Amino acid sequence: MLCVFDVNETLLDLTPMDALVGGPQLRREWFGLAIHTVLTVTATGGYRDFAGIAGDAAVEVAARHGRELDLAAIGEGLRTLPAHPDVEAGLLKLREAGHTVVALTNSPLATAEAQLQNAGLAPLLDRIFSAEQVGRLKPAPEPYRQVVAAYPGETPVMVAAHDWDIAGAQAAGLRTALLARPGVRPLPGSPEPTYTIPALTELAELL
């Protein structure tokens, strides 16, 4: 099976960004605004570099709260995020079971490659894909379809800790696995994910 992984919050832990943006509440507000922007850009048929979106969202949230912001530190923080504790073991189990394991992210390809290399995950992935390569951000269908097209004959499953990413993959015809990290729930009114798992280490037994 072709296991397609989202990166930020699915494989990588954003918690270290708290110290750079002013705590967990502001970090959630920042990332939520970035995703809101992504969804708006995608729904209106456009494309913007996700790194630029994240930077603009950080500036906006800092301004709302009267805080100073070091954008260079934000960028460096994003490139050096650690993996969640369950990720390495989960990817190893999938590879040992013979599955193809790839990443698909809205981040620019160079950023994603740096992130996954710095987190020690790049050697566990067969390939890294970016929405940048097709000029459309997830949850538009094009990013998912480029991955599926690269592995003809393999059954794809999208693994993500984001309800909107799961919904986009479902609409593009992929099976889905919602990684139910704390606070993560299926998108109301959408079809149920094919699988719902509390940790990546449980996925291999279901495929």
Side-chain angles (χ1 to χ4, degrees):
M1 184 168 284
L2 173 61
C3 300
V4 186
F5 284 90
D6 173 55
V7 175
N8 294 310
E9 293 193 310
T10 300
L11 297 179
L12 303 182
D13 185 1
L14 283 179
T15 302
M17 300 300 295
D18 293 357
L20 300 176
V21 299
Q25 183 174 345
L26 292 192
R27 186 248 304 166
R28 287 190 288 268
E29 183 179 345
W30 159 59
F31 203 70
L33 179 59
I35 296 304
H36 181 84
T37 304
V38 165
L39 296 175
T40 301
V41 168
T42 301
T44 53
Y47 173 78
R48 284 181 59 196
D49 178 280
F50 181 73
I53 290 174
D56 289 347
V59 170
E60 169 62 22
V61 169
R64 290 177 186 176
H65 296 273
R67 300 184 62 89
E68 295 291 328
L69 192 69
D70 184 343
L71 277 179
I74 294 289
E76 181 62 19
L78 284 171
R79 287 189 293 273
T80 56
L81 294 171
H84 282 286
D86 60 321
V87 168
E88 183 175 353
L91 296 180
L92 283 170
K93 289 178 71 173
L94 290 167
R95 292 181 64 86
E96 290 167 359
H99 300 293
T100 303
V101 181
V102 304
L104 171 63
T105 179
N106 275 338
S107 296
L109 184 60
T111 300
E113 289 174 341
Q115 286 182 302
L116 294 165
Q117 186 67 45
N118 290 333
L121 300 180
L124 303 179
L125 298 167
D126 293 290
R127 191 168 169 185
I128 301 168
F129 291 87
S130 168
E132 175 187 50
Q133 295 166 293
V134 292
R136 291 278 281 160
L137 295 167
K138 297 183 294 176
E142 290 88 349
Y144 308 104
R145 289 174 179 165
Q146 75 158 330
V147 179
V148 174
Y151 292 92
E154 292 206 41
T155 301
V157 56
M158 182 72 204
V159 187
H162 300 289
D163 52 10
W164 55 268
D165 207 351
I166 293 295
Q170 287 174 321
L174 283 71
R175 296 184 185 184
T176 55
L178 178 66
L179 181 53
R181 299 206 183 279
V184 173
R185 308 260 319 155
L187 191 68
S190 290
E192 286 291 316
T194 313
Y195 313 102
T196 298
I197 52 174
L200 281 186
T201 48
E202 299 195 10
L203 182 60
E205 285 75 14
L206 298 175
L207 301 182

